[in-house]
Amino acid sequence: TYVTFGTQYRNENVTRENPDATELPFETNTLSPYLQVGMRVAESLLVERGYRYNQHSNFGGQSNYSLAVALQATKSLSGRLNISNAYQSPTLDQLGGPFGANPDLQPQVATAVEVGASLVQPEGRYSLTINAFQRVIKDVVIYDFTLGYQNRDELEDIGVELTGSGKISPRLSLNGNLSYVKGNLSQPDGNGGTTESDDFFRRPRATGMFGLTYSGKAPFLVRLSAHYTGERPDIYFDENFASFEVELEPYLIVNAYAEYRLLKRENLRLFADVKNLTNADFVEVTGFGVLGTTIRLGASIKL
């Protein structure tokens, strides 16, 4: 059993050129005592609980909690469950800035549940981890052109992530991950009801990475990695400020990295890092260009 406790004090303030121009708050204080307790219920079962109370000078008190359970089912197989909530305070600009400030803003509050399992070969030849999660954020802060900053929307994310690594030979290894996230945004429709959307600008549902690493007999290393970003919607404005939605195509970026270590202690490192090796043509944000193949050469020494 172990116990961790303490407190944190944070002061945030913004300097104004004309302090008499507004009565809105430009300084906040937060006092946050916390307590965390962990105990091994059985030889293979660990439970950890935490609690934090945040006293904010603007919106008052906010409690946060966490519960984590880890189970080592076998020497290779383990599982875990995490339940927690968290909050994000409004920024000083949102509370008392010059554009649409609202001193009555409340924090955004998130509740998350995550469950996962890991399969790890005892000698380290391979590992595989899968995680599934759900997160709900309430009182999302938005900007309304008429009312300014408001607590209004609710966002729910559900996703799964798969991560793995393995050794093909003593010198050749691979690793990768694949994730899929689906969201749901609830917004008032202005008539007493709500509208829902599951598309988020510039946020792909599917992303992935695959890497291959070779470590030579000499202090030599080469790594090749491919990064995938799935399709996602985007929005842009023309010269008349009319908005248009487009669908951005998925893309794959290949990067390469190599390094060689010199001197008796191998503390001199020469390296080459190549981004976008295949000079892929892709779009991250509509109307903005991206870099093609980029090469970075360098050296570092550890004294």
Side-chain angles (χ1 to χ4, degrees):
T1 301
Y2 62 88
V3 178
T4 304
F5 62 92
T7 189
Q8 180 187 53
Y9 176 78
R10 183 173 63 188
N11 173 268
E12 298 176 278
N13 63 80
V14 173
T15 302
R16 293 174 288 181
E17 293 183 1
N18 183 7
D20 298 325
T22 177
E23 297 298 326
L24 296 177
F26 273 75
E27 179 177 10
T28 63
N29 303 293
T30 308
L31 181 64
S32 305
Y34 59 88
L35 172 68
Q36 187 175 46
V37 180
M39 62 177 57
R40 189 168 294 280
V41 180
E43 185 177 351
S44 59
L45 182 62
L46 178 67
V47 178
E48 184 180 270
R49 292 163 292 181
Y51 178 78
R52 183 184 182 104
Y53 182 78
N54 310 277
Q55 182 61 41
H56 193 277
S57 59
N58 187 264
F59 57 76
Q62 173 68 43
S63 294
N64 297 129
Y65 64 85
S66 64
L67 171 65
V69 179
L71 174 65
Q72 190 71 42
T74 67
K75 192 175 182 180
S76 301
L77 182 63
S78 62
R80 59 193 167 278
L81 169 68
N82 295 289
I83 303 173
S84 63
N85 82 331
Y87 82 101
Q88 179 177 333
S89 299
T91 65
L92 292 182
D93 183 63
Q94 294 169 344
L95 290 170
F99 303 105
N102 180 1
D104 297 323
L105 282 177
Q106 296 299 302
Q108 299 180 154
V109 180
T111 302
V113 178
E114 180 180 351
V115 60
S118 297
L119 182 64
V120 180
Q121 204 274 338
E123 282 74 35
R125 288 199 296 268
Y126 65 83
S127 67
L128 185 65
T129 300
I130 184 170
N131 288 308
F133 61 88
Q134 180 185 39
R135 179 182 60 201
V136 178
I137 306 176
K138 296 184 177 181
D139 294 329
V140 175
V141 176
I142 60 93
Y143 184 81
D144 184 283
F145 285 99
T146 302
L147 303 175
Y149 289 105
Q150 300 289 312
N151 292 107
R152 195 188 68 181
D153 298 346
E154 179 176 318
L155 173 62
E156 179 182 16
D157 286 321
I158 299 176
V160 61
E161 182 177 34
L162 182 65
T163 304
S165 63
K167 289 185 177 180
I168 301 175
S169 70
R171 302 198 177 280
L172 188 63
S173 62
L174 55 85
N175 68 296
N177 62 70
L178 180 65
S179 63
Y180 180 83
V181 180
K182 184 178 181 181
N184 184 73
L185 179 66
S186 299
Q187 302 172 296
D189 61 5
N191 298 314
T194 59
T195 60
E196 296 187 353
S197 172
D198 58 4
D199 287 325
F200 299 90
F201 296 126
R202 301 168 191 160
R203 192 181 84 170
R205 289 188 179 181
T207 56
M209 187 279 293
F210 177 79
L212 192 63
T213 302
Y214 176 78
S215 301
K217 287 186 178 181
F220 176 70
L221 179 144
V222 177
R223 181 183 301 117
L224 193 67
S225 62
H227 304 260
Y228 172 79
T229 299
E231 61 184 17
R232 62 267 176 233
D234 195 9
I235 187 171
Y236 72 95
F237 298 86
D238 65 9
E239 64 276 7
N240 298 316
F241 296 100
S243 62
F244 298 87
E245 294 187 19
V246 294
E247 189 77 12
L248 299 182
E249 296 292 329
Y251 63 88
L252 184 71
I253 299 295
V254 178
N255 300 326
Y257 175 84
E259 71 172 42
Y260 193 89
R261 295 184 181 271
L262 301 171
L263 303 183
K264 185 176 181 179
R265 294 189 296 159
E266 300 180 3
N267 57 333
L268 175 61
R269 181 172 63 99
L270 306 179
F271 64 88
D273 190 10
V274 183
K275 302 294 186 184
N276 195 4
L277 181 66
T278 61
N279 199 30
D281 185 18
F282 63 99
V283 177
E284 287 185 324
V285 179
T286 302
F288 291 84
V290 295
L291 291 175
T293 301
T294 305
I295 302 174
R296 183 170 65 100
L297 304 175
S300 66
I301 186 168
K302 183 181 296 185
L303 302 176

